[in-house]
């Protein structure tokens, strides 16, 4: 039996967004052909803001608001502005306002045709539009609401997804098998606006 030999020429470097689009199941637990993929993307983003990176906040402490605007469009906001510090804005993947601390949102952006990231604190607001995860422009100022927060709006790529977000979201699991922390003050309020005459609200803690 011949033992294979490998060198640097055998290593293929794949960009983050290309990796997500090639193997979405590694990030969201559903493959490209799965009818559940869009729902799993929404679930993954919401679960991560409820269990953020340690430098952003403790688990189960963020106040999260989300709206489903269409079968492949949703928005998620929380009350932390981690991309802003005293020196200005910290840029992440490809010069976007989505960095490793929000890698699940970045992965969702990689599966989107358009993403808009907004962050605000102390009267300073910055907005950036992305094509997928790649910036279309530099962050630009806007007049923010009071307090601090981050909001990301996703238009998932309709050429990529086989089916939209599920109509029944009662089974969303925002904690997963590895969450053993007790409930905290944080929660996710999810409003489904697809039926404009009868929007539905779900609360997850």
């Amino acid at each position: 039996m011949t033992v294979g030999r490998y060198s640097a020429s055998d290593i293929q470097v794949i960009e983050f967004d290309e990796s997500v689009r090639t193997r979405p199941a590694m990030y969201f637990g559903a493959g490209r052909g799965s009818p559940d993929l869009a729902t799993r993307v929404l679930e993954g983003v919401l679960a991560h803001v409820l269990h953020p990176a340690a430098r952003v906040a403790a688990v189960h402490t963020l106040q999260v608001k989300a709206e489903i605007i269409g079968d492949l469009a949703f928005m998620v906001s929380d009350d932390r502005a981690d991309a802003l510090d005293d020196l200005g804005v910290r840029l992440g993947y490809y010069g976007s306002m989505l960095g490793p601390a929000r890698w699940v949102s970045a992965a969702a952006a990689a599966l989107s045709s358009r993403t808009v990231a907004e962050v605000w604190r102390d009267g300073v607001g910055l907005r950036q539009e992305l094509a997928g995860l790649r910036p279309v422009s530099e962050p630009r100022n806007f007049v923010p609401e009071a307090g601090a927060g981050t909001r990301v709006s996703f238009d998932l790529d309709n050429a990529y997804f086989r089916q939209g977000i599920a109509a029944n979201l009662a089974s969303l699991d925002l904690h997963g098998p590895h969450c053993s922390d007790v409930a905290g003050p944080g929660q996710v309020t999810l409003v489904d606006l697809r039926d404009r005459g009868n929007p539905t609200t779900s609360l997850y803690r």
Side-chain angles (χ1 to χ4, degrees):
M1 179 177 177
T2 302
V3 177
R5 295 183 178 179
Y6 298 93
S7 67
S9 63
D10 297 302
I11 299 173
Q12 182 181 8
V13 178
I14 300 177
E15 297 277 5
F16 176 73
D17 52 355
E18 180 184 354
S19 173
V20 177
R21 292 184 73 87
T22 303
R23 302 180 183 90
M26 290 180 57
Y27 300 87
F28 298 109
R32 179 173 181 178
S34 170
D36 297 327
L37 179 57
T39 306
R40 299 286 78 80
V41 171
L42 170 67
E43 182 178 66
V45 172
L46 295 179
H48 194 241
V49 290
L50 197 56
H51 305 84
R55 75 171 183 82
V56 175
V59 299
H60 303 170
T61 59
L62 294 184
Q63 297 297 318
V64 185
K65 297 179 181 178
E67 293 181 352
I68 301 173
I69 303 159
D71 286 339
L72 291 173
F74 65 94
M75 175 276 296
V76 178
S77 64
D78 62 58
D79 53 352
R80 291 294 183 274
D82 52 285
L84 285 176
D85 59 25
D86 293 336
L87 300 177
V89 61
R90 291 193 302 270
L91 299 180
Y93 297 103
Y94 313 116
S96 77
M97 293 199 301
L98 297 176
R102 293 183 182 267
W103 68 269
V104 178
S105 291
L111 300 180
S112 301
S113 56
R114 180 175 182 266
T115 310
V116 177
E118 298 173 304
V119 59
W120 64 94
R121 190 181 69 187
D122 300 329
V124 175
L126 291 172
R127 175 184 291 119
Q128 185 181 42
E129 184 173 345
L130 316 173
L133 187 51
R134 306 283 177 142
V136 173
S137 64
E138 297 294 322
R140 296 176 178 173
N141 293 98
F142 75 99
V143 178
E145 57 197 80
T150 297
R151 176 167 50 237
V152 187
S153 302
F154 304 91
D155 290 332
L156 298 178
D157 185 352
N158 60 13
Y160 187 91
F161 287 82
R162 197 173 145 191
Q163 191 169 311
I165 296 166
N168 183 359
L169 300 170
S171 63
L172 286 186
D173 179 6
L174 303 192
H175 297 286
H178 306 296
C179 177
S180 58
D181 294 88
V182 298
Q187 63 184 23
V188 174
T189 303
L190 175 61
V191 182
D192 190 341
L193 297 171
R194 286 175 289 182
D195 182 352
R196 294 288 175 173
N198 186 32
T200 58
T201 300
S202 302
L203 187 65
Y204 305 87
R205 299 189 68 99

